Amino acid sequence: MNTNKRKRELVTEFSPMIEKPHPMLKLWILVLSVIIAIGLYAFYLQFTQGHQITGMRDNVVWGVYIINFIFFVGLSYSGAFISGILHFFNTPWKSSVTRIVEIITVLSIIVGPIFILLCIGRLDRLYYLFMYPRIQSPITWDIIAIITDLVGCFIYLFLTFVPDFAILRDTPDLKVPNWRKKLYRFLAINYRDTDSQRQRLHKITRIMSKMVIAMAIVAYTVLAWIFSLTLQPGWNSTIFAPDFIFSGLYSGVGVIIIIMFLIRKYFKLEKYIVQSHFVMAGIVLLVLSLLFGYFTFSDYFAKWFSHKPADINLLNTLFGRYFWQFILANYIGVLVPLFILSIKKIRTIKSITFAAVVAVLGLWLNRYLIVVPTLETPYVPIQDTRPEYLHYTATWIEWALSFAGVAAFILFFLLIMRLVPIISISETIQHERGQNSKQDESYNY
């Protein structure tokens, strides 16, 4: 295979994605920017008027923000774990999906911690966490774990981008602004795709793939410990760490399937993202739905069987005020994907994507039921009996900031797609080179 010729062909094929944006892409960027602007206005109101304009009160001190934080950090952990596994085992079909997974990983670990800042009432004292940390506090562990995970994932993402930056740098007829050509030249760090450079980069990437897997597990385990090491009913559980890990994978695989479907449809990449990718991801989602369902059942069964008054009060709250949310999160969110993905005949691209959407929504609602009902049933109730102090209802401020976070995630994803092809050129060439060598060996044999 003529590698240089194949590089030019792939650049020509993917260049419309980075040279001239699709009209719908401009519309999406405008819509997302408006949503973010509304979120910034909501943040201004919250910053100037305080948390009194949110639904958080003395009982429920956490709300939608912490749920979004858990969800995005779990998404980052899942992306890091899956990307690391794909690179470490050099999976043949990784060239089409690995960049999607890597971008999800970094953007999630950037957007997620922002929601923690929204929970803090005095942002002007944020630097105290860094100046006077207490190693006895799981919050300090979480800060260290998230910062370490962010740095590691960013380095890992950059290493996987380097070969494509070099290819774009060496394409003279690429119709992009001069500043972007200079940016490609700078980010390529003098990479020339020689045998020694390729082997060195491959070795470093494999080492980083092992590290990001370990860092992701540590980061999400520490996040689970923030809950399980407290005495709150519903949180003081020994299975929270593995439960959070598998639930993070469950949501991560679901989001990856959804993004694969959208990119495949709107960017006409049916040649690279094929049905087998969805089938394999669907099987993984099927296994994770079984594990997620098992951990959820074990958690609630242990609470019910213990007959502790605090746990019984929590279950009464779940089956009373939050009955339909409980059904949607823990039955519909598990059984529907399980039913769709377990039947081979109905395992199509659209049905797998639908199952992924149900799984992601169910998982988010499950995180909501972990946080809010527990805080509404404390050991010692507060004196104030006003409904807004006893029960939590998110205000438009919280929803605006939540949607702004999701919009920022999507917007950054689209902007990265404008910078570099969403299908890795270097990984595609490497995959094709491996296939050709196998065919040659088979022919010689």
Side-chain angles (χ1 to χ4, degrees):
M1 181 180 69
N2 190 328
T3 303
N4 292 329
K5 180 182 178 182
R6 184 55 180 153
K7 286 180 181 179
R8 290 193 296 270
E9 291 175 352
L10 289 173
V11 170
T12 302
E13 185 175 358
F14 296 140
S15 60
M17 299 171 61
I18 59 178
E19 288 181 344
K20 186 178 180 181
H22 192 277
M24 284 297 295
L25 186 62
K26 292 182 178 180
L27 178 61
W28 269 107
I29 291 176
L30 177 61
V31 172
L32 294 171
S33 300
V34 171
I35 296 174
I36 294 172
I38 295 174
L40 291 174
Y41 174 68
F43 174 73
Y44 168 76
L45 294 177
Q46 179 179 308
F47 184 77
T48 55
Q49 301 182 32
H51 281 190
Q52 64 179 349
I53 62 174
T54 69
M56 295 180 285
R57 292 294 183 270
D58 290 350
N59 261 15
V60 184
V61 294
W62 285 344
V64 171
Y65 296 151
I66 197 70
I67 297 158
N68 294 332
F69 168 69
I70 298 171
F71 180 82
F72 274 104
V73 173
L75 193 58
S76 172
Y77 151 73
S78 175
F81 188 87
I82 294 170
S83 178
I85 291 294
L86 291 177
H87 272 284
F88 182 73
F89 290 103
N90 199 22
T91 310
W93 46 273
K94 70 183 177 69
S95 58
S96 299
V97 300
T98 184
R99 180 151 295 165
I100 297 173
V101 178
E102 291 159 357
I103 295 173
I104 290 174
T105 301
V106 174
L107 292 183
S108 299
I109 200 65
I110 292 174
V111 174
I114 294 175
F115 287 104
I116 281 290
L117 302 180
L118 300 177
C119 290
I120 298 176
R122 292 293 301 271
L123 281 174
D124 57 311
R125 297 181 179 181
L126 179 64
Y127 65 95
Y128 284 1
L129 290 173
F130 302 93
M131 292 185 63
Y132 312 107
R134 295 183 69 247
I135 199 63
Q136 303 95 322
S137 171
I139 300 272
T140 302
W141 311 346
D142 202 30
I143 292 172
I144 296 172
I146 289 176
I147 292 176
T148 305
D149 193 27
L150 174 61
V151 173
C153 289
F154 183 81
I155 294 173
Y156 179 60
L157 178 68
F158 175 70
L159 290 174
T160 60
F161 272 38
V162 167
D164 277 15
F165 286 142
I167 292 172
L168 296 173
R169 175 202 62 197
D170 298 333
T171 306
D173 54 345
L174 192 65
K175 299 176 182 178
V176 295
N178 289 328
W179 68 265
R180 203 186 302 181
K181 292 181 179 179
K182 293 179 180 178
L183 182 63
Y184 291 146
R185 192 178 304 114
F186 173 76
L187 295 176
I189 56 175
N190 202 31
Y191 182 80
R192 298 295 174 184
D193 198 28
T194 62
D195 290 338
S196 61
Q197 286 183 333
R198 195 183 306 120
Q199 292 174 5
R200 195 178 302 121
L201 183 62
H202 178 68
K203 183 178 180 180
I204 296 173
T205 306
R206 280 181 63 86
I207 293 173
M208 287 300 303
S209 68
K210 301 174 188 177
M211 292 179 63
V212 295
I213 292 173
M215 287 187 293
I217 293 175
V218 169
Y220 215 44
T221 299
V222 170
L223 177 60
W225 285 346
I226 291 178
F227 291 88
S228 63
L229 296 181
T230 67
L231 294 178
Q232 284 278 6
W235 289 355
N236 190 223
S237 173
T238 57
I239 67 169
F240 252 38
D243 178 25
F244 270 46
I245 288 174
F246 284 112
S247 64
L249 286 171
Y250 189 52
S251 63
V253 174
V255 171
I256 289 169
I257 292 174
I258 295 170
I259 294 179
M260 281 169 50
F261 176 82
L262 295 174
I263 290 175
R264 181 181 187 269
K265 180 177 180 180
Y266 290 104
F267 291 93
K268 311 298 181 183
L269 295 175
E270 291 85 356
K271 178 182 175 181
Y272 296 95
I273 304 177
V274 297
Q275 185 170 357
S276 60
H277 289 105
F278 288 90
V279 172
M280 285 183 281
I283 292 173
V284 173
L285 189 66
L286 171 64
V287 175
L288 291 172
S289 67
L290 291 170
L291 291 169
F292 174 67
Y294 168 75
F295 276 101
T296 301
F297 170 78
S298 298
D299 187 33
Y300 286 120
F301 179 76
K303 292 180 178 61
W304 172 79
F305 197 77
S306 69
H307 296 292
K308 295 178 182 178
D311 288 339
I312 295 300
N313 290 338
L314 174 61
L315 292 177
N316 290 336
T317 302
L318 286 170
F319 289 110
R321 176 176 167 83
Y322 294 98
F323 176 77
W324 288 111
Q325 292 92 322
F326 185 87
I327 296 297
L328 291 173
N330 300 313
Y331 285 86
I332 304 299
V334 175
L335 296 180
V336 169
L338 192 63
F339 173 77
I340 293 174
L341 299 173
S342 60
I343 301 176
K344 188 176 181 180
K345 291 184 178 180
I346 62 174
R347 205 184 291 156
T348 62
I349 292 177
K350 290 184 178 180
S351 65
I352 292 172
T353 305
F354 175 75
V357 171
V358 174
V360 170
L361 294 177
L363 191 280
W364 188 92
L365 193 55
N366 177 274
R367 304 297 95 173
Y368 186 94
L369 295 178
I370 285 178
V371 175
V372 175
T374 292
L375 293 174
E376 288 185 349
T377 53
Y379 281 113
V380 181
I382 62 175
Q383 298 300 316
D384 201 322
T385 57
R386 285 176 289 179
E388 63 269 22
Y389 273 74
L390 296 176
H391 304 295
Y392 171 78
T393 302
T395 63
W396 78 268
I397 297 287
E398 295 167 274
W399 288 121
L401 284 165
S402 298
F403 286 118
V406 177
F409 176 88
I410 299 173
L411 179 61
F412 290 147
F413 199 104
L414 294 176
L415 293 178
I416 292 175
M417 288 178 60
R418 291 278 291 121
L419 181 66
V420 66
I422 196 62
I423 303 295
S424 175
I425 297 175
S426 57
E427 293 280 356
T428 303
I429 293 174
Q430 181 182 350
H431 174 61
E432 293 175 353
R433 188 187 293 122
Q435 283 186 326
N436 292 336
S437 62
K438 288 181 180 179
Q439 290 177 358
D440 292 341
E441 291 176 2
S442 176
Y443 177 76
N444 292 333
Y445 178 77

